[in-house]
Amino acid sequence: MIDERLARLALSRLGEPGGLKMAGLVAEIGAVALYDELRAGRDARGLLTDVAGRLAEIEPERDLERAVRRAIRWIVPGDEEWPASLDDLDRAEPLHRMGRAPLGLWVRGAVRLHELTTPVAVVGSRSATTYGTGVAADLGAGVARAGAAVVSGAAFGIDEAAHRGALAASGTTVAVLACGVDRAYPAAHKRLLDHLAEHGAVVSELAPGCAPTRLRFLARNRVIAGLSQGTVVVEAAVRSGALNTASWTSLLHRPLMGVPGPVTSAPSEGVHELVRSGAATLVTRAGDVLELVGGMGEHLEEAPRAPVTARDLLDRVQQRVLEAVPVRRPASPESIGRTAGLGAERVRSVLDDLARRGHVDRLPTGWRLAEATDAVR
């Protein structure tokens, strides 16, 4: 009798025709029961009509043997390596018929998915600007240096930059593909994908050998969101696949973040709308991202502030007197007092204190600002 693992593999090979209906039946009655019904010719809720009897042509044992010979493994729910975060997809309202958790995942690479630490998705435009790729690389490197894993889709532009940033920081990164893990898509990224398979992981719900299609890219996006504890969108136009990943992140109630671009930049228009509508939190550096996806009290960021100067330490009266001291021509305490609105005796006392602090100099003809003071206006 076929086991759960092989049944899921066989059903996954049927591709998109069964879609959400198949995933729902697997969750309801189990992969083995559904496999047996279809093989026996029983039309489980119209599913057999969709798959058109193709199940009889599939040999899951042989598929698994071929994959093992190529160092590719098939993981399913219940396996130690299965990332539990993907199960949340079954509880999210589906955006389309590919909306359920995958039946299983093909994995090529040494990294084990259940061991990923704080995985963060970094996604964005394929036709990225120099600004966008620079930011994505910095984010990937910063997140990886903190021990978090970077998840992306290995596409041109933002995805590639995020992967390379993580690799440059000797961090962990995972590529989720819309084709088989044995295929290089885009072809120009073959060396990158081979390197990821050696030092990270390449993942897909599609069997080895499968080619990418538009629907498969949309389905891939939900896996990227499901694997990650949060998603950062770096450059996305108003019609961008990255916004589909962002939608899945929101449906999973996980942090969605957006990196702002120039207000005149079309490649950032989709990101700006996410931030404007309140769907995404604005982030500008890795620390912002880590603070949002980390645990309670982890990676807390201080609000950026200008350096504290010696003048900042003065009280209000001292600052009033200092503002009244001339820069070049010395002035008497009486003149300074009139400008500051204070009595001459009070001004003399304050000037003596300011002189000890190095803010003013006393000359034979009066007082003026010290040349080295940071109070020069």
Side-chain angles (χ1 to χ4, degrees), residues 28-368:
E28 183 178 333
I29 68 175
V32 174
L34 179 58
Y35 176 89
D36 289 340
E37 282 201 26
L38 293 176
R39 287 300 300 269
R42 293 190 290 275
D43 199 359
R45 303 188 193 176
L47 186 58
L48 188 59
T49 303
D50 291 336
V51 301
R54 291 168 46 210
L55 192 60
E57 304 170 5
I58 296 172
E59 298 176 315
E61 296 91 344
R62 183 172 296 181
D63 286 342
L64 198 55
E65 289 171 3
R66 282 197 293 261
V68 169
R69 287 197 297 269
R70 302 171 71 178
I72 299 170
R73 57 192 184 274
W74 168 250
I75 64 171
V76 299
D79 288 349
E80 182 183 15
E81 189 180 351
W82 181 258
S85 60
L86 283 176
D87 297 333
D88 290 342
L89 288 168
D90 282 333
R91 294 182 282 275
E93 179 184 349
L95 289 178
H96 48 73
R97 60 197 181 99
M98 300 300 292
R100 302 299 286 263
L103 296 174
L105 290 176
W106 299 92
V107 185
R108 176 175 162 234
V111 168
R112 301 283 164 168
L113 299 187
H114 71 294
E115 295 177 349
L116 294 178
T117 303
T118 321
V120 177
V122 181
V123 298
S125 174
R126 287 176 172 81
S127 54
T129 65
T130 302
Y131 162 79
T133 54
V135 171
D138 288 344
L139 283 176
V143 165
R145 270 191 218 101
V150 174
V151 181
S152 198
F156 288 120
I158 298 302
D159 291 14
E160 176 188 7
H163 288 306
R164 293 191 183 279
L167 291 171
S170 301
T172 300
T173 182
V174 175
V176 183
L177 305 185
C179 58
V181 295
D182 59 334
R183 296 183 63 138
Y185 189 88
H189 285 175
K190 184 179 187 309
R191 290 182 62 186
L192 172 62
L193 288 166
D194 288 343
H195 190 79
L196 288 175
E198 184 177 349
H199 298 280
V202 180
V203 176
S204 177
E205 64 179 311
L206 298 162
C210 286
T213 66
R214 181 179 179 278
L215 276 180
R216 288 173 177 175
F217 277 107
L218 291 175
R220 180 276 306 267
N221 292 341
R222 86 191 194 287
V223 178
I224 291 177
L227 278 176
S228 308
Q229 291 188 15
T231 298
V232 186
V233 184
V234 183
E235 288 195 329
V238 289
R239 290 180 62 86
S240 170
L243 299 181
N244 179 257
T245 309
S247 296
W248 276 110
T249 301
S250 295
L251 286 171
L252 292 169
H253 304 291
R254 297 178 188 173
L256 176 61
M257 297 153 276
V259 174
V263 295
T264 55
S265 172
S268 291
E269 200 169 350
V271 181
H272 294 163
E273 179 58 24
L274 288 175
V275 174
R276 189 195 69 81
S277 66
T281 301
L282 187 147
V283 295
T284 59
R285 54 189 184 274
D288 299 339
V289 175
L290 292 166
E291 185 178 51
L292 287 169
V293 300
M296 186 74 70
E298 293 181 346
H299 308 295
L300 295 180
E301 285 284 294
E302 290 187 8
R305 298 184 59 181
V308 176
T309 66
R311 183 171 181 169
D312 294 329
L313 303 178
L314 300 178
D315 62 31
R316 294 184 65 180
V317 173
Q318 290 169 332
Q319 291 192 27
R320 283 175 61 184
V321 173
L322 190 61
E323 288 285 345
V325 177
V327 176
R328 292 184 179 86
R329 180 175 295 179
S332 68
E334 290 77 11
S335 174
I336 295 171
R338 284 192 295 271
T339 303
L342 297 170
E345 290 301 316
R346 181 74 181 278
V347 168
R348 287 190 184 91
S349 173
V350 173
L351 287 171
D352 288 338
D353 189 29
L354 291 176
R356 285 193 294 272
R357 294 170 180 257
H359 290 292
V360 296
D361 290 330
R362 183 174 187 176
L363 303 176
T365 55
W367 297 84
R368 73 177 182 188

